[in-house]
Amino acid sequence: MKSEWNWRAIKGMSLLIYLSMLIPLAVIVINSFNPQRIAGFPPESLSLHWYGEFFNNELFIDAVVVSIKVGIASALLCGAIGTVTAMGFVRKQFPIKNALVIVLLTPMLVPPVIIGVAATVFFVEIGWNRSIWWIVVMHTLIALPYAFLIVRSRLFLFNTTLEDAAMTLGADRLTTFREVTFPIISPAILTAMVLAFVISFGEFTATQFWVHRETTTVPIVIYSMARTLITPEVNVLATLVLVVTIVVPLVALVIQQRLSVNRT
Amino acid sequence: MSSTNLNRDSIQDAFLATKTRLMENRRVRFLLSPGLGLVWTLVFLLIPLTIIVAFSFFRSGDGTTIIYELTFENYLRFIDGTVYQRIIVRSFGIGVLTTLIVLPLGYTLGYFIGRSKSKWTPILLGLVVVQFWVPLVIRTYAWITILGREGVVNNFLMWTGLVAEPLQLLYTTHGMLLGLIVSILPFMVLPVYASVSTIDEEIIQAAKTMGASDIRAFVEVTLPLTWPGVVSGILFTFILSAGAFIAPELLGGSSDRLIAPVIATVFMQDFNWPFAAALSLIYVLLIGLVLYLFTRKADLEEALEGASL
């Protein structure tokens, strides 16, 4: 009896939390179809008016293109560096390994504002001109710990006798990696890359220090429009980003499932 | 003649073989290199942080120039005036407050998902994971449309006639806290869920069979077993909320200037890089102190791993 009531309280509380997480997002999506300039809620009518305005506005399209480019580049770099680093940390023995792991994870601990300030000062001092590459290398840094942890946790589960078997049968180490190790850990690498893309696509606080007129990213646009209130196109942009950031990982999840099925 | 030929051939063979082995080795070593990620972190984070240390002892000149001479000016400015001290105290206070609220809420939801064994469980979990994917800016901006003068809440209250004038919900500390809490909740929910879902139900049943009450079974069995998840959640909640930028700027009032936005203003609008560097350093050292105290009670690496689940 008592148990029953506790569980009900937990259920009720959880429902409230879900509502607080989902209602704001739902309102954005609904408002994006509201033709009024000052969007009251609920809308009196629905239309695609602001979608039309959105696609005619180069500012938005450019930001989306920059964000996608940076996201893909960071995902590729994170996938490569994260995998190589995780392989090294799992398969090799070297001194002060535990301390070095913490070093690798520092980007998770240092507040993004500080990362933004520090990198800007550094790049300016060494005379590296502000460009999209600032954002790419720094987004790679910010997402790298996550990529590393994901690939490493997969390698911990990895049965090394499979590699030994391949090498006993005459495969050299590179072939072994290509034919045995990589296929097994590739779902984890994919997860790592998707997460890196998502982190890059959404990063705002550090990125605001690195952008300039031609490399403005989507979060920067949304933020500045939210501050200067506001053209309704921001709801369209937010809705599209919402769709992309949910659909991309879901598609990856499906691909990943396929990969896992093929292997067994 | 033929013997020298043979010799040359075999030498060449040996040479080629060594070369291939070397190349293979080098490629393999590259694949196994723990150094690549470390170098990346060193070059793009640790060296810049070191340069920040140096900058904090410089002085800002006219306009955007920097005078490269040793001075304690920036630190004295921090020590003398109470403005920046108060901003830092307030940021850490917001961090503690947010953590105290997020902990029970996040635990409840993580526990709920972990213990609900139905076909809906993956969807319940998915709805939380999706929060990670949607950019923080969008999740925070969404609250403007909820809390604003023409927002959902005010429109509803006016419609029911409960209030005659729209309430000031946006640009207040409460509005900021609400946005902050909801956006950070997933960082508590997921690690707690992960540890709850690994608990064997029979252990809890056993405690109850032996006469433990629900509360006692929770406090003595469930809670200790989920402790690693809780620790991970607390770490992320505190760091993210004490360093929050978007929620205080978009939802908070004029008194809600926390340390992260203040550093950004000093850096980008005042162009006072040395002072921004000093503030950053003070802030990072205080975070470092918290982390140090944290590592005396818990394993940092394990806690950080909790977020990648």
Side-chain angles (χ1 to χ4, degrees), chain B residues 29 108 114 154 203 259 282:
Chain B
R29 226 178 275 147
T108 307
N154 270 325
I203 303 175
I259 185 65
I282 293 165

Side-chain angles (χ1 to χ4, degrees), chain B:
Chain B
M1 197 57 174
S2 73
S3 80
T4 45
N5 250 347
L6 189 76
N7 237 343
R8 198 185 293 153
D9 279 355
S10 61
I11 287 169
Q12 206 153 25
D13 278 354
F15 174 71
L16 272 176
T18 323
K19 199 178 154 199
T20 350
R21 203 176 308 143
L22 264 176
M23 274 178 57
E24 194 216 327
N25 240 327
R26 216 179 293 146
R27 267 144 89 193
V28 169
R29 226 178 275 147
F30 179 72
L31 275 178
L32 276 175
S33 165
L36 197 52
L38 286 170
V39 167
W40 203 274
T41 314
L42 182 76
V43 171
F44 295 118
L45 187 61
L46 301 183
I47 291 177
L49 284 176
T50 317
I51 289 177
I52 281 288
V53 177
F55 256 71
S56 72
F57 293 102
F58 296 153
R59 191 146 48 89
S60 134
D62 296 335
T64 61
T65 59
I66 285 148
I67 300 164
Y68 296 90
E69 15 176 83
L70 188 69
T71 167
F72 290 97
E73 198 177 274
N74 303 307
Y75 290 98
L76 290 176
R77 182 170 166 198
F78 178 79
I79 293 163
D80 286 344
T82 53
V83 180
Y84 293 99
Q85 291 171 19
R86 237 183 274 145
I87 288 167
I88 286 205
V89 169
R90 192 171 163 74
S91 304
F92 278 72
I94 292 288
V96 172
L97 184 61
T98 309
T99 311
L100 288 177
I101 300 170
V102 164
L103 177 56
L105 294 179
Y107 197 99
T108 307
L109 185 53
Y111 183 85
F112 171 68
I113 305 172
R115 294 298 294 277
S116 75
K117 302 273 186 287
S118 75
K119 61 176 179 177
W120 296 105
T121 309
I123 292 174
L124 291 174
L125 185 61
L127 286 174
V128 178
V129 174
V130 161
Q131 301 290 313
F132 276 110
W133 299 344
V134 177
L136 182 60
V137 172
I138 292 180
R139 283 183 289 142
T140 312
Y141 159 69
W143 286 103
I144 295 182
T145 59
I146 301 281
L147 300 176
R149 279 181 73 86
E150 303 276 329
V152 177
V153 172
N154 270 325
N155 276 0
F156 178 75
L157 288 177
M158 301 276 282
W159 177 74
T160 57
L162 282 171
V163 294
E165 287 281 295
L167 299 175
Q168 180 72 35
L169 304 167
L170 193 60
Y171 311 129
T172 63
T173 306
H174 289 112
M176 171 187 79
L177 276 173
L178 181 62
L180 206 50
I181 288 162
V182 175
S183 66
I184 290 178
L185 264 168
F187 284 94
M188 185 65 79
V189 176
L190 287 191
V192 169
Y193 157 77
S195 40
V196 168
S197 63
T198 56
I199 295 178
D200 191 345
E201 196 107 6
E202 284 173 19
I203 303 175
I204 299 166
Q205 280 312 320
K208 287 186 186 166
T209 315
M210 310 273 262
S213 66
D214 276 0
I215 307 248
R216 186 137 180 246
F218 176 77
V219 171
E220 294 197 19
V221 182
T222 315
L223 197 56
L225 286 173
T226 52
W227 192 242
V230 171
V231 164
S232 178
I234 289 176
L235 177 71
F236 275 95
T237 307
F238 180 77
I239 290 189
L240 292 172
S241 52
F245 185 100
I246 301 173
E249 287 297 277
L250 288 188
L251 309 175
S254 52
S255 65
D256 295 311
R257 303 229 63 202
L258 302 186
I259 185 65
V262 166
I263 290 176
T265 309
V266 172
F267 190 86
M268 289 196 289
Q269 275 158 41
D270 306 347
F271 283 111
N272 192 339
W273 288 16
F275 188 54
L279 283 179
S280 302
L281 203 64
I282 293 165
Y283 172 39
V284 160
L285 287 178
L286 287 172
I287 291 277
L289 182 69
V290 172
L291 289 176
Y292 169 73
L293 295 174
F294 183 86
T295 52
R296 294 177 51 169
K297 294 277 172 212
D299 184 54
L300 189 59
E301 188 188 333
E302 202 183 292
L304 289 175
E305 239 172 332
S308 68
L309 287 166

